[in-house]
Amino acid sequence: MNNTDAEIMQSYTVMVNGGSGVLVNAMTLDYSYVLTAAHVIRKKKGDIAVLDLDDINVLDYKSEKLKVLAVLIDPAPHDAEDPTYDCAILKVEYQARVLQRCFAASRLPHLAAIILVGYPATERGSADQIKQYDGHKTSVVNKLVILTINGVPAKSTIQGMSGGGVYHIQAGSPFLIGVEFQMDGTGEEQQYGRVQCHSLARFEEIITACTSAQMIPAHLECFSRMREMIFAFNVIDPNNVHQLKVALEGFADSLIRGGIPAPYEVMEQYDLQLLVDSKRPDELKNQELWVAYLEFLVICALMDNVGAADANYIKNIERKRRLLYTSDGSNWLRRLEELLKTARKYLDKNGTLIVASPEAAAQLLPPNFTLKNVISNIAVVPNEGPLAIDTVESAIYTSFKLTHLEGLRKNCVIDSEDEYQGLPSGRAQLQLFKDKLNEIIN
């Protein structure tokens, strides 16, 4: 049963002392983060605001206590009363259930709808402690987001929401865009209906300054997050390839248990080398890239008949096979010259380059005439005229096998689903899948 947007947002909301907080994922399995406002974890001792780990009490939406491991605040010298620094990050024990999705506040359209979620003081102890306030974005300047809340609530109504998560609903899913920390306006008579929020970029600055693990989307924590999304064969009758899909998912499970590095570790290792277009680094966090990469590893391990796809295996095949991702759904063959040059840079002779993109009707392979024309253009001998072809370079370019992941799915499974229907087991279907892959890319 799928949770509603409200249930998802509430499940990531925590109570932090007299304020609120929001759970997010970190690039580690050792801990998770709670983003909050610094003033809710400080206590006044005389005229001094102090921070003591033992004084921080964090309860999740089920009122279960979360162990606080450490606190991250901006290490730059600052006045504790300066609102620029009214943000803090709590390291808490790892929360495997968190699947937080984030969105850059700077990309929000004008008057974008937002939702503020937290624990208002007036509702503490009630049966329904977590409240949501609808509103819209007013402005975003220097990582500071001003929000206008519907109904123009007074400060007394918002009290206790400090540190609460602010969300934007996009494509039917809630995306965290920042954390509320105070009312907008200098005088109390002005503090109605508008609140200030630190964007996630402000918290990323603190994490970087403290050399802690970066915040990441949940799917970058472990490939198991995407296991059910792989090999979505768009066949006429899914029953025909059901055993194949079960076998592939089972093989993926065994590879994950056997030590596939976390997606964020692969990202750290290869970075922009995973992308068709290095000028679009944000694509590295796209879930579609990592679903494709898990499929790629399963295909490679199947073709090599190995039972592990750990860091050593990935290193060993990096000059033999590569996957490149782009979110551009246009015809992948338009970039054939660029792809061939990338293959020349990263692959040995006879290497395979697999492109993953949203192009639903992607061709399996480049037409021979197109391939020959492109190779003749890029294998020209320097300084010897436009007709002088470097035969050695031409042979290397010709040896590369370039294909598209969707084309492989279509050619090896979708167009042949009747062949799988007649096979008795997943093992037999897996062998047929491997045989068809070998015909194309081995």
Side-chain angles (χ1 to χ4, degrees):
M1 177 175 151
N2 293 330
N3 291 328
T4 65
D5 294 341
E7 289 169 335
I8 292 170
M9 292 184 289
Q10 289 188 15
S11 71
Y12 302 149
T13 303
V14 297
M15 185 188 297
V16 182
N17 293 349
S20 303
V22 59
L23 281 161
V24 297
N25 305 87
M27 201 178 285
T28 177
L29 300 182
D30 294 332
Y31 50 82
S32 298
Y33 288 135
V34 169
L35 310 184
T36 188
H39 74 261
V40 307
I41 60 171
R42 288 192 172 107
K43 283 194 172 182
K44 274 287 188 78
K45 292 190 176 179
D47 294 330
I48 303 173
V50 296
L51 196 160
D52 188 335
L53 204 62
D54 293 333
D55 291 333
I56 302 173
N57 189 42
V58 180
L59 301 177
D60 70 9
Y61 74 113
K62 293 182 177 179
S63 295
E64 295 177 356
K65 188 168 184 175
L66 301 185
K67 183 179 180 181
V68 180
L69 308 175
V71 179
L72 306 180
I73 58 172
D74 196 315
H78 62 272
D79 181 349
E81 302 298 324
D82 185 343
T84 305
Y85 297 92
D86 194 3
C87 42
I89 303 167
L90 310 179
K91 286 184 181 180
V92 298
E93 53 195 347
Y94 177 66
Q95 304 294 303
R97 65 179 177 81
V98 178
L99 297 170
Q100 190 72 266
R101 304 178 76 176
C102 302
F103 189 87
S106 58
R107 294 170 54 197
L108 287 172
H110 182 55
L111 299 179
I114 58 90
I115 301 172
L116 169 61
V117 189
Y119 288 85
T122 54
E123 299 296 327
R124 299 289 169 103
S126 71
D128 186 18
Q129 298 187 85
I130 304 176
K131 295 298 180 183
Q132 300 180 18
Y133 294 95
D134 295 328
H136 64 263
K137 182 204 86 171
T138 302
S139 65
V140 179
V141 179
N142 293 331
K143 307 179 190 71
L144 179 66
V145 186
I146 305 298
L147 311 172
T148 298
I149 306 298
N150 295 348
V152 197
K155 182 176 180 179
S156 58
T157 303
I158 298 295
Q159 195 81 33
M161 298 288 285
S162 291
V166 177
Y167 289 86
H168 173 62
I169 305 296
Q170 186 178 59
S173 298
F175 286 79
L176 183 70
I177 64 105
V179 170
E180 188 271 339
F181 67 97
Q182 70 176 14
M183 300 295 291
D184 188 41
T186 53
E188 192 164 333
E189 70 281 357
Q190 297 175 300
Q191 296 179 350
Y192 284 85
R194 282 165 53 115
V195 297
Q196 296 183 2
C197 163
H198 288 302
S199 72
L200 297 180
R202 184 71 186 92
F203 292 92
E204 288 169 346
E205 288 178 343
I206 295 173
I207 288 170
T208 299
C210 295
T211 61
S212 192
Q214 293 296 315
M215 289 188 291
I216 55 167
H219 58 265
L220 290 183
E221 285 187 349
C222 181
F223 278 108
S224 62
R225 303 278 199 187
M226 291 156 286
R227 176 257 192 199
E228 294 181 359
M229 304 175 196
I230 60 174
F231 299 108
F233 301 121
N234 189 21
V235 293
I236 297 171
D237 184 355
N239 290 324
N240 291 337
V241 296
H242 174 70
Q243 294 299 327
L244 172 63
K245 184 163 172 59
V246 169
L248 287 167
E249 289 176 351
F251 188 35
D253 288 339
S254 69
L255 293 176
I256 292 168
R257 289 193 300 269
I260 291 182
Y264 68 80
E265 293 176 316
V266 177
M267 184 174 71
E268 288 177 333
Q269 177 69 29
Y270 293 102
D271 198 41
L272 298 178
Q273 294 180 31
L274 294 162
L275 302 179
V276 171
D277 189 346
S278 62
K279 295 179 181 178
R280 301 167 78 169
D282 287 351
E283 291 184 340
L284 284 170
K285 293 185 178 180
N286 285 13
Q287 181 170 273
E288 293 77 11
L289 162 59
W290 299 104
V291 172
Y293 197 85
L294 180 55
E295 284 193 26
F296 168 73
L297 288 181
V298 170
I299 287 171
C300 290
L302 179 64
M303 294 177 69
D304 294 336
N305 196 31
V306 299
D310 57 14
N312 288 331
Y313 174 76
I314 294 173
K315 182 68 177 175
N316 289 337
I317 66 167
E318 69 177 24
R319 300 290 304 179
K320 181 181 180 181
R321 300 187 196 102
R322 286 277 185 137
L323 178 118
L324 289 181
Y325 170 80
T326 177
S327 61
D328 182 357
S330 62
N331 194 314
W332 70 281
L333 295 174
R334 294 178 188 171
R335 308 179 82 153
L336 189 55
E337 180 174 333
E338 180 183 349
L339 293 170
L340 281 165
K341 289 179 178 178
T342 300
R344 184 68 182 92
K345 184 177 181 180
Y346 295 129
L347 295 172
D348 292 332
K349 190 175 181 180
N350 299 311
T352 297
L353 187 67
I354 300 177
V355 175
S357 79
E359 185 187 353
Q363 287 184 241
L364 175 67
L365 298 167
N368 282 333
F369 73 90
T370 304
L371 199 58
K372 288 178 181 178
N373 287 341
V374 173
I375 290 174
S376 66
N377 288 334
I378 59 178
V380 174
V381 179
N383 305 317
E384 291 193 20
L387 301 180
I389 302 298
D390 186 326
T391 55
V392 174
E393 280 295 297
S394 179
I396 293 173
Y397 280 116
T398 304
S399 76
F400 295 137
K401 292 175 277 292
L402 273 64
T403 187
H404 193 284
L405 190 59
E406 186 58 40
L408 286 175
R409 293 192 199 106
K410 187 174 187 299
N411 185 271
C412 297
V413 179
I414 297 170
D415 289 346
S416 311
E417 68 173 285
D418 57 320
E419 295 181 47
Y420 290 91
Q421 180 186 18
L423 295 176
S425 68
R427 181 183 177 88
Q429 292 192 354
L430 205 59
Q431 184 62 54
L432 176 60
F433 182 53
K434 179 180 178 180
D435 292 342
K436 288 184 175 294
L437 287 170
N438 280 328
E439 291 173 8
I440 300 166
I441 59 175
N442 209 15

